[in-house]
Amino acid sequence: MKRIAVFTSGGDAPGMNAAVRAVVRNASFHDMHVYGIRRGYEGMIDGDLERLERRDVGNILHRGGTVLKTARSQRFMTPEGRRSAYETLLAHDIEACIAIGGNGTFTGASVFTEEYDIPFIGVPGTIDNDLYGTDLTIGFDTAVNTAIEAVDKIRDTADSHNRLFFVEVMGRHAGFIALNTAIGSGAASALIPETDTTIEDLVEFLKMGARRKKLFSVVIVAEGNKNGNASEIAAQVKEKFDFYDTKVTIIGHLQRGGSPTALDRVLSSRLGFHAVEGLVKGHKNVMTGLVNGKIKYTPFAEAITKSKSLDNDLVRMAEILAL
Ligand SMILES: Nc1ncnc2c1ncn2[C@@H]1O[C@H](COP(=O)(O)OP(=O)(O)OP(=O)(O)O)[C@@H](O)[C@H]1O
Ligand SMILES: O=P(O)(O)OC[C@H]1O[C@](O)(CO)[C@@H](O)[C@@H]1O
Ligand SMILES: [Mg+2]
C-alpha cells in the first residue's frame, strides 16, 4: 500500500491532532504517502486534501481541536455525496483511509465500504466515550478533567451561598462524562441516560442530604438524560423541594477544547500508530481500540451496533460516596 488518507470527523476531541501526527509519522515510516483530508466527509466530497509529510505534523501533538478541521456532513448521508467522495479518492489514487471520529463517522465508513472497495480503519475520537470496542475514546479524559475543574469552582460559590447547582455536561446519548465528573468532583448525584432516576427519586435524595445538614449540593446532568435539560430539571425540583436557592450551569463546548491530558496524548498516539499497523497487517473496516490495556481491532459493524455499558459498580459507588 502506497497512498493513504487521514481525516477527522464529527465533533472535535482533544487528542485528534496527536492521532493525526501518529498516523502520518508511522505511515511515513512504512514508506506510504499520506493525504490529509480537511473537514471530514465534506472535504472528501469536495476534493479538499493535501499531502502531509513528517514535518507537517510537528508541534501539533499538544494542541486541542483538529488541524484538519472537522464537519458533520449531510451530503455524505446521500448516495450522490458518497459517489463524489469515492471519485476524490480515485482521482488521488488513495488506497485506504484512516477515519478519526465517533459512532456516526464509523456508520458512514461502514455504509461507504459496503458500496466501494476501499479499506477503512477507524480511530475512536469523541469526548462521549460511547464506542464499543475500546475502553477509552480520544478526548474523553480531557473533557472529564475540564468538567471537574469547572465543578470545583462551582462548589466554592455553591458552598458560600448554600445553593443547589445543576451542572449540565455533554454526552448526547451516554453518561460516561457525567458519571466520571460526578465521582471526580464529589457531586451529590448524576442524572444519566443509562439509569432511570426520576425527579421524585432525586428530590428524596436531596431531602435526605438536607436532613443530614448538607447545606449546598451539586447535581451533574448528562445532556442525554431522561428528565430534560438542566434548567427543566431545576424547575421541576424547585416545585417539589424549595429548601435550596437553585442555580444552573451549562459547561457546554468548553469540554471539547483545550490541550489534551497526558492520558489522551498517549492514547491518541497509540491508536493512530496502530491504525497504520492494522492497515499494514491487512485489517480493513475495523476500529482500533484499547481493551484492558491492549490494542484490539473491532469490526465497524460491532463498534456501531453494540453498546458499551457503564460500569454498574461505578454507579453504585457514586451513590454511596455521595451520601
Ligand atoms: N448513516 C450514515 N450514512 C452515511 N454517513 C453517515 C451516517 N451516519 C453518520 N454519517 C456521517 O458521519 C458524520 C459524523 O457523524 P456524527 O456527526 O454523528 O459524529 P460522530 O462521528 O459520532 O462524532 P461525535 O459523536 O463525537 O460528534 C456525519 O456528519 C455524517 O456525515
Ligand atoms: O458541537 P455540536 O455539533 O453542537 O455537537 C454537540 C455534541 O457533540 C458532542 O460533544 C460529541 O458527540 C456531544 O457530547 C454533544 O451532544
Ligand atoms: Mg457520536
Side-chain angles (χ1 to χ4, degrees):
M1 191 163 294
K2 280 275 155 271
R3 284 155 87 96
I4 68 166
V6 60
F7 64 95
T8 51
S9 163
D12 62 341
M16 280 183 161
N17 287 327
V20 169
R21 170 181 176 272
V23 167
V24 171
R25 296 259 165 105
N26 194 24
S28 302
F29 171 80
H30 287 288
D31 294 323
M32 295 175 190
H33 285 188
V34 185
Y35 284 77
I37 301 175
R38 287 187 212 88
R39 298 178 292 114
Y41 291 126
E42 283 287 285
M44 196 183 286
I45 292 169
D46 295 336
D48 187 4
L49 69 172
E50 69 174 351
R51 173 94 190 270
L52 291 177
E53 299 191 61
R54 293 174 159 276
R55 292 273 63 78
D56 296 322
V57 291
N59 204 25
I60 64 168
L61 171 126
H62 61 297
R63 287 167 53 190
T66 161
V67 293
L68 288 178
K69 312 263 182 179
T70 187
R72 302 196 194 275
S73 171
Q74 283 308 315
R75 288 187 293 163
F76 198 76
M77 311 280 267
T78 66
E80 300 74 35
R82 293 193 293 276
R83 154 68 46 189
S84 303
Y86 177 63
E87 282 163 6
T88 296
L89 300 181
L90 268 191
H92 291 81
D93 294 324
I94 304 291
E95 295 163 82
C97 286
I98 294 184
I100 307 172
N103 52 353
T105 299
F106 303 150
T107 305
S110 202
V111 172
F112 187 76
T113 52
E114 272 166 28
E115 294 170 342
Y116 303 104
D117 189 22
I118 291 202
F120 270 55
I121 302 264
V123 174
T126 167
I127 65 165
D128 289 352
N129 199 29
D130 58 348
L131 276 163
Y132 178 88
T134 190
D135 293 339
L136 288 172
T137 58
I138 291 171
F140 168 68
D141 185 62
T142 307
V144 171
N145 273 282
T146 301
I148 286 177
E149 210 183 310
V151 176
D152 285 350
K153 291 182 169 132
I154 298 280
R155 286 178 79 87
D156 290 346
T157 178
D159 185 6
S160 305
H161 286 267
N162 288 349
R163 281 173 169 163
L164 165 62
F165 268 82
F166 290 89
V167 180
E168 187 175 302
V169 297
M170 279 185 164
R172 214 190 313 221
H173 305 293
F176 294 97
I177 297 178
L179 181 62
N180 284 274
T181 300
I183 293 170
S185 66
S189 184
L191 295 178
I192 54 179
E194 294 85 348
T195 59
D196 293 318
T197 312
T198 61
I199 296 296
E200 289 68 30
D201 297 334
L202 179 62
V203 166
E204 280 318 305
F205 193 76
L206 292 169
K207 281 184 179 167
M208 190 181 2
R211 282 197 297 273
R212 292 180 181 186
K213 309 262 178 302
K214 206 166 165 42
L215 296 177
F216 77 96
S217 220
V218 178
V219 173
I220 309 294
V221 177
E223 62 177 341
N225 90 93
K226 294 170 182 147
N227 296 293
N229 64 35
S231 303
E232 289 161 353
I233 292 168
Q236 293 177 66
V237 168
K238 206 166 173 50
E239 229 169 66
K240 296 185 162 55
F241 181 55
D242 64 358
F243 175 74
Y244 297 105
D245 180 20
T246 301
K247 297 282 174 187
V248 172
T249 299
I250 297 166
I251 305 182
H253 288 81
L254 274 178
Q255 287 156 100
R256 285 245 297 265
S259 181
T261 58
L263 193 151
D264 268 327
R265 293 177 194 202
V266 176
L267 175 74
S268 309
S269 302
R270 287 183 78 183
L271 295 177
F273 175 86
H274 282 286
V276 175
E277 294 295 285
L279 267 187
V280 172
K281 287 180 189 143
H283 289 294
K284 62 176 184 176
N285 310 334
V286 294
M287 183 193 83
T288 315
L290 200 63
V291 178
N292 295 326
K294 296 262 181 301
I295 292 293
K296 194 173 169 229
Y297 299 99
T298 301
F300 282 145
E302 268 183 66
I304 58 181
T305 53
K306 293 192 174 171
S307 61
K308 178 158 76 185
S309 43
L310 269 187
D311 184 344
N312 281 329
D313 189 50
L314 281 189
V315 177
R316 186 172 156 266
M317 184 190 80
E319 280 172 16
I320 293 173
L321 297 189
L323 281 168

